[in-house]
Amino acid sequence: MISVCVVLCLGVAGAQGNAFERSLEATAQGRYGEALRWADSEGLDSASRAQARFWALSRAGLLDLALAEAELGLEEAPRDDWLLGQAVEVALILHDDRRAEQHLLTWEASGGAPDAELRARVASGVRSAERVRAGSRRAMGVSVGLLAACVACFAAWLRGPR
Amino acid sequence: MKRGGDGALLLLVAIAGAGTMVVELAAVRLLAPWYGASSTVWTNVIGVVLLALALGYLLGARWSTTPSPLRRLGAVLIAAGAFTAWLPFLAPLVARSFLPEGTTLDRAAMQIQWGSLACSLALFLPPALALGAVGPLAVEVDQRRRESHAGNAGGRVLAASTLGSLVGTFSTTHLLVPSLGLRASFLLAAFVLGGLGLVVSRVAGGGFRPTGAVALLATLGSVFAQPAGTALAAGTSKLAERQSPYQSVRVVERETDTGSWRELQVNEGFDSFQSVWQPTPGFLGSGYYYDFFVLPAWLDERRSGTWNTCVVGLGAGTAWRVLDTELPGSLQLTGVGFELDPVVVELGREYMDLPAEDSTRLRVFSGWDGRAGVRAAGVGFDQVILDAYANQVEIPAHLASLEFFREARAALRDGGWLSINVGAFGLEDPVLTGLARTVCAAFEQPVCLVRVPFSRNVALIAREGRPALPEDVPGGLPQNWSEWLAFGPATRAFDDRQDPLTDDRNDIERLQRESLQRAEESRR
């Protein structure tokens, strides 16, 4: 789902690079606590910190926390293409279709170019969530309608035998 | 009906009573693939049937004043038969109109209340209403024929109807559904009711009216219709499907990189399973909570001898299969396992390597409730495992109380472990914290909450006589657990003993609803 290559291709320059790369390295070795410590170390800008923290949490399998981390990072760097893309992916995995759509739209608005397959997955997720919501509304309507019909029958039939 | 038909009328009423119970009890099973069989669904189904019966009584009362109540009696029986016959075929269509195919379990759970009510009203109101009308019409027929008092006729009819309901109740759960299956049970009830209706119509001299013919054709048509079952996920095939006294159970197989994996699914065909089997036993890997049942053994000091377990909610034996291969040192797995549903055990033995009946090392008790099992299992266990769920999302209240956890604690040796699989959205989930408070209070020790990566599960671990999470986590644990237990976002020691859930006051169902609502709200 989340490609290591994408992360390794991230351009993190200068003094930041060391802490960032160490965080990625610790994540790759399953030392998630250390990865977060490197991510939080001084010298990393907020976007790099968010990327490194997101990466550690998502690789650890704590996807809800990873998504929250990505969103925190996006508050600081709202046009961060990589974080936006990852936020869309993770939101889809968590069946959080509305958030996936919201991040996709932000991504597109900021000039990003999500691929067609991702767009289709988000659209399908949103449609599916909307169908469930519509089904719930329908169920409520049918229930209320049928219960009202029952009450009407009661009222009519209680008036006594013809 | 002539004088000789005295007993016949009461028999007819008794059969209608039995038919009502077939519809009511099997109704929940019919909805279970979409909405489960929780107390919410039961409440909706029972409520709708009672509402329909009340309406039916009124309808029957009105029709009882007509010149030939016997003819009306025949008509309502035929109608009840026709409506009942189509229930297994209409249920999937009605349910899918509210809950589309491919809906995830957590989303489906949000619709349980209104969805199951709407389905119950649409499906079960008509047959139950028709069956409700039988009583007053039969009373009228009896009273006119015997020229007796209304109370006398009413009492006789009520007694016959209630006895019939009694027979219907037991035969549906223990005979009809397990031996015939759901569809055939409904069809049998439908044909008996419809057939009786035809006989009564004939006796009443009503002939064969067009409405009766339509109802008969409708009933017969149902035999040839094929109900739409719950869909299988892409890439899976069904190995077996059976009806048990509790639920529909099926084993499916899917191809993976490591061979054909099998899953045992109950009722709902959503993104969940009750047990899982892989060709080579061992850790199942990321996303599977079963692996975490092994963690206590690795945290324990013992490395040789037997590791004696008591599993509540054994399913098809996945927990044992992982433990058997992955215990540390030379520990040998022994134990007892309790599974409420005998069909799950049958399928586990046939398809998932669950130990045979004559195994003395791992003894399976099928048909046992876990609470009674723990009390009877004895003492001195190294580990009690609780993995009991109804409908994949609900922990039964009697297995989530202070009293139960005290019983589990009493079954452990000094330093023994309790492991619970909890479905939870993170470490602050209301169900998880409610259970953790209760276990803390029962064990009088801090417990440990460990998130299962890539899943919605948390392992809740408690230890008899000491905190579950050691101050110094040992190195070299498998599955990267040494790191995981020291990783703040994944693991938490928990020590709050306030407001435990008890047998007397247990709001686990409210907590479960709250958990799902929170998850849904976070998506808005």
Side-chain angles (χ1 to χ4, degrees):
Chain A
M1 61 143 185
I2 301 164
S3 158
V4 179
C5 299
V6 176
V7 171
L8 294 178
C9 291
L10 289 168
V12 182
Q16 296 182 25
N18 202 24
F20 185 79
E21 280 159 18
R22 284 185 180 220
S23 177
L24 296 189
E25 194 184 313
T27 296
Q29 291 169 6
R31 291 181 277 112
Y32 304 116
E34 187 189 327
L36 291 188
R37 282 192 295 279
W38 276 115
D40 291 337
S41 62
E42 283 185 24
L44 271 190
D45 63 42
S46 54
S48 302
R49 177 181 301 121
Q51 287 174 352
R53 285 184 65 86
F54 168 85
W55 190 244
L57 290 165
S58 63
R59 298 303 290 175
L62 304 175
L63 298 184
D64 52 334
L65 301 183
L67 180 58
E69 197 63 52
E71 287 173 345
L72 266 180
L74 287 169
E75 281 177 19
E76 298 287 321
R79 298 168 76 91
D80 187 316
D81 269 10
W82 186 81
L83 269 182
L84 281 166
Q86 298 301 319
V88 174
E89 288 276 6
V90 172
L92 276 177
I93 293 168
L94 292 170
H95 304 132
D96 198 338
D97 307 295
R98 287 237 168 134
R99 270 156 103 180
E101 185 187 35
Q102 185 190 322
H103 292 308
L104 185 81
L105 291 175
T106 313
W107 193 9
E108 286 173 336
S110 69
D115 63 39
E117 190 258 338
L118 186 64
R119 278 204 193 99
R121 280 167 55 210
V122 171
S124 155
V126 169
R127 273 199 306 275
S128 153
E130 188 43 50
R131 276 201 302 271
V132 176
R133 272 189 280 271
S136 298
R137 287 193 295 271
R138 214 162 30 244
M140 209 180 285
V142 167
S143 300
V144 171
L146 286 173
L147 287 172
C150 289
V151 171
C153 285
F154 263 115
W157 293 347
L158 266 174
R159 284 195 199 119
R162 285 176 298 187
Chain B
M1 213 172 263
K2 307 280 187 299
R3 276 208 169 271
D6 201 15
L9 180 70
L10 295 181
L11 181 65
L12 179 150
V13 170
I15 291 171
T20 308
M21 293 319 292
V22 172
V23 170
E24 184 169 340
L25 292 174
V28 176
R29 300 287 294 274
L30 214 49
L31 298 185
W34 289 272
Y35 297 108
S38 64
S39 57
T40 303
V41 179
W42 271 104
T43 304
N44 282 341
V45 167
I46 291 172
V48 165
V49 170
L50 288 175
L51 175 70
L53 288 175
L55 280 171
Y57 297 149
L58 278 181
L59 185 67
R62 288 175 72 84
W63 281 354
S64 67
T65 58
T66 56
S68 176
L70 195 59
R71 189 178 298 162
R72 296 289 173 121
L73 186 57
V76 294
L77 284 168
I78 291 172
F83 288 133
T84 304
W86 281 91
L87 287 177
F89 313 97
L90 291 177
L93 301 177
V94 173
R96 277 186 197 149
S97 72
F98 303 125
L99 202 59
E101 200 72 56
T103 305
T104 55
L105 183 63
D106 50 341
R107 282 242 158 82
M110 285 303 298
Q111 211 199 74
I112 284 177
Q113 213 151 344
W114 284 105
S116 65
L117 178 61
C119 283
S120 302
L121 283 163
L123 292 166
F124 310 123
L125 194 74
L129 190 151
L131 287 166
V134 168
L137 289 168
V139 169
E140 183 67 22
V141 170
D142 191 59
Q143 193 186 5
R144 284 189 197 181
R145 188 168 43 78
R146 290 158 47 89
E147 294 170 356
S148 64
H149 294 285
N152 182 290
R156 286 155 49 85
V157 166
L158 277 174
S161 170
T162 306
L163 281 177
S165 299
L166 188 71
V167 173
T169 300
F170 283 94
S171 59
T172 304
T173 301
H174 297 294
L175 185 69
L176 290 180
V177 175
S179 57
L180 298 178
L182 209 49
R183 181 188 172 209
S185 298
F186 275 111
L187 284 178
L188 179 67
F191 276 94
V192 170
L193 291 170
L196 272 179
L198 285 176
V199 172
V200 171
S201 292
R202 195 171 171 79
V203 170
F208 208 62
R209 292 182 172 205
T211 45
V214 168
L216 184 67
L217 281 175
T219 312
L220 285 173
S222 69
V223 175
F224 303 103
Q226 283 299 315
T230 43
L232 286 171
T236 60
S237 57
K238 187 164 65 184
L239 297 180
E241 183 165 27
R242 282 177 209 167
Q243 297 292 331
S244 82
Y246 302 97
Q247 57 207 347
S248 301
V249 191
R250 70 184 184 187
V251 179
V252 300
E253 190 168 70
R254 64 185 164 85
E255 289 303 321
T256 71
D257 296 340
T258 54
S260 301
W261 284 47
R262 293 173 186 170
E263 289 179 357
L264 189 140
Q265 301 176 334
V266 293
N267 290 333
E268 75 279 11
F270 298 113
D271 55 342
S272 64
F273 52 86
Q274 196 201 43
S275 298
V276 63
W277 176 95
Q278 60 175 338
T280 312
F283 284 124
L284 293 158
S286 272
Y288 290 99
Y289 64 84
Y290 302 99
D291 292 356
F292 282 78
F293 290 145
V294 188
L295 177 59
W298 282 88
L299 292 176
D300 200 271
E301 300 77 19
R302 293 179 52 234
R303 287 291 178 268
S304 61
T306 57
W307 185 260
N308 197 14
T309 56
C310 171
V311 183
V312 174
L314 181 66
T318 308
W320 268 349
R321 204 155 181 264
V322 178
L323 275 160
D324 208 12
T325 330
E326 301 296 349
L327 286 176
S330 61
L331 283 173
Q332 285 289 311
L333 182 70
T334 61
V336 292
F338 300 97
E339 171 54 47
L340 189 60
D341 192 337
V343 173
V344 167
V345 171
E346 270 173 39
L347 290 170
R349 287 194 169 122
E350 283 175 47
Y351 295 96
M352 299 178 122
D353 294 338
L354 184 66
E357 210 164 341
D358 57 357
S359 166
T360 50
R361 186 170 67 95
L362 296 168
R363 295 177 61 203
V364 180
F365 292 87
S366 79
W368 276 67
D369 178 80
R371 179 93 182 244
V374 166
R375 205 175 294 141
V379 294
F381 285 101
D382 295 293
Q383 187 181 11
V384 171
I385 293 171
L386 174 61
D387 188 17
Y389 269 79
N391 315 309
Q392 302 292 77
V393 289
E394 295 149 8
I395 297 177
H398 70 294
L399 297 177
S401 73
L402 182 66
E403 292 84 350
F404 170 68
F405 291 127
R406 281 182 178 149
E407 286 169 2
R409 181 184 173 188
L412 292 170
R413 65 160 162 87
D414 179 41
W417 302 79
L418 169 71
S419 302
I420 309 174
N421 164 41
V422 187
F425 295 93
L427 294 179
E428 300 300 328
D429 184 277
V431 173
L432 179 67
T433 51
L435 276 173
R437 284 198 311 274
T438 309
V439 178
C440 270
F443 277 67
E444 301 171 284
Q445 290 289 341
V447 300
C448 173
L449 311 177
V450 190
R451 288 194 61 169
V452 178
F454 296 104
S455 85
R456 291 185 311 233
N457 297 76
V458 174
L460 194 167
I461 301 170
R463 194 170 191 194
E464 163 56 17
R466 58 209 85 169
L469 188 62
E471 277 186 26
D472 295 313
V473 177
L477 298 178
Q479 302 290 92
N480 199 23
W481 282 335
S482 303
E483 170 68 27
W484 199 247
L485 293 178
F487 185 43
T491 302
R492 174 184 170 195
F494 183 100
D495 192 10
D496 177 358
R497 302 169 198 186
Q498 303 299 309
D499 302 322
L501 307 169
T502 64
D503 283 341
D504 184 43
R505 294 178 69 86
N506 196 313
D507 57 357
I508 186 84
E509 285 203 16
R510 181 185 62 77
L511 294 175
Q512 277 155 349
R513 277 198 301 275
E514 202 179 307
S515 165
L516 290 165
Q517 270 161 6
R518 275 198 200 182
E520 186 61 20
E521 278 161 16
S522 75
R523 295 187 180 121
R524 285 177 188 158

